[in-house]
Amino acid sequence: MTTESETYDPEARGLPLVAVLLILTVVSGLIDAVAYLGLGQVFTANMTGNIVVLGFAAAGAPGFSVPHTATSLVSFVAGAVAGGRVARRVGDCSRRTWTRLTLATEAVLVGAAAVVAFAAPGTVGTTYTLIALTAFAMGMRNAAVRKLDVSALTTTTVLTMTLTGLAADSRTAGGSGRGAPRRGAAVVAMAAGALLGAWLVLHHGLSVPLLVAAVMTGVLAVTASGRE
């Protein structure tokens, strides 16, 4: 039976964080599809891939750009720094409040990117603006996800380790299988986001998938709870 304290617990109202982070993983795949396919083969959510891309670009591999990749890396780090500073300033607020604040900021940044992509498509300035806005937003989000510390879910990073954990901790490998559902769901969510993003970029350009990402994040900003 539900107690009165549980009924009126503000942290418990809304979408559980596990579901929120899985949906954000879809958004990450979508954002990286936009960046890689539409902004010159660069990542703005997945910095592991971006470091590799930077190496390709520095070696002179065709189709890769050091300035594009460097812009993404610097913007992501700046977003993570900003997210960390905000986290320390509002450290006493609830998980729910912190999550919603961060997601609202991300939705505004990605929404601004969608507006720029619609208003001035195909220009050099637009390319750098979209890279900077989306990478900054992903950096802020990663700082928030790190603060939330939800087991086996990161939304953007280290899918290699997620797959490793999925296999190494499986019953087949003699493990308990703990965390397998979340890890498996994260892999599927990233692939689904990349698929959706790629389809939207190929058929509708850059503004539509960015708008979809902004709307998805905005909905989460008003529905997320503080519980797993």
Side-chain angles (χ1 to χ4, degrees), residues 8 10 31 39 50 57 59 67 78 81 83 89 110 116 129 132 135 141 162 199 221:
Y8 293 101
I31 291 289
L39 300 176
N50 230 20
V81 169
R89 290 200 173 194
V110 177
V116 172
T129 300
R141 186 217 286 176
T162 301
W199 187 87

Side-chain angles (χ1 to χ4, degrees), residues 56-228:
F56 294 163
F64 299 97
S65 165
V66 170
H68 287 179
T69 312
T71 299
S72 179
L73 285 166
V74 170
S75 299
F76 184 93
V77 171
V81 169
R85 289 182 67 87
V86 172
R88 285 166 180 80
R89 290 200 173 194
V90 298
D92 294 334
C93 74
S94 69
R95 262 179 140 197
R96 180 172 176 263
T97 300
W98 166 239
T99 301
R100 292 188 173 197
L101 174 64
T102 303
L103 295 183
T105 303
E106 178 181 331
V108 169
L109 289 169
V110 177
V115 171
V116 172
F118 178 79
T123 70
V124 173
T126 293
T127 296
Y128 280 102
T129 300
L130 298 188
I131 290 172
L133 284 172
T134 55
F136 189 91
M138 294 298 102
M140 282 199 71
R141 186 217 286 176
N142 271 267
V145 171
R146 185 171 180 271
K147 176 181 170 65
L148 292 173
D149 193 26
V150 177
S151 176
L153 288 175
T154 63
T155 80
T156 61
T157 58
V158 203
L159 276 186
T160 299
M161 289 304 297
T162 301
L163 287 168
T164 301
L166 188 62
D169 295 339
S170 67
R171 296 187 185 278
T172 302
S176 65
R178 183 181 179 186
R182 290 187 183 184
R183 287 168 175 156
V187 173
V188 171
M190 183 68 79
L195 174 63
L196 173 62
W199 187 87
L200 289 172
V201 168
L202 294 174
H203 293 87
H204 300 286
L206 301 183
S207 60
V208 171
L210 287 170
L211 179 60
V212 170
V215 170
M216 290 175 68
T217 307
V219 170
L220 294 176
V222 296
T223 58
S225 73
R227 61 188 173 90
E228 291 191 26

Side-chain angles (χ1 to χ4, degrees), residues 18-74:
V18 170
V20 169
L21 295 185
L22 285 173
I23 296 170
L24 287 176
T25 305
V26 174
V27 174
S28 297
L30 199 159
I31 291 289
D32 265 343
V34 170
Y36 195 84
L37 298 176
L39 300 176
Q41 294 178 243
V42 63
F43 294 102
T44 59
N46 178 6
M47 289 301 115
T48 304
N50 230 20
I51 295 296
V52 176
V53 166
L54 182 61
F56 294 163
F64 299 97
S65 165
V66 170
H68 287 179
T69 312
T71 299
S72 179
L73 285 166
V74 170

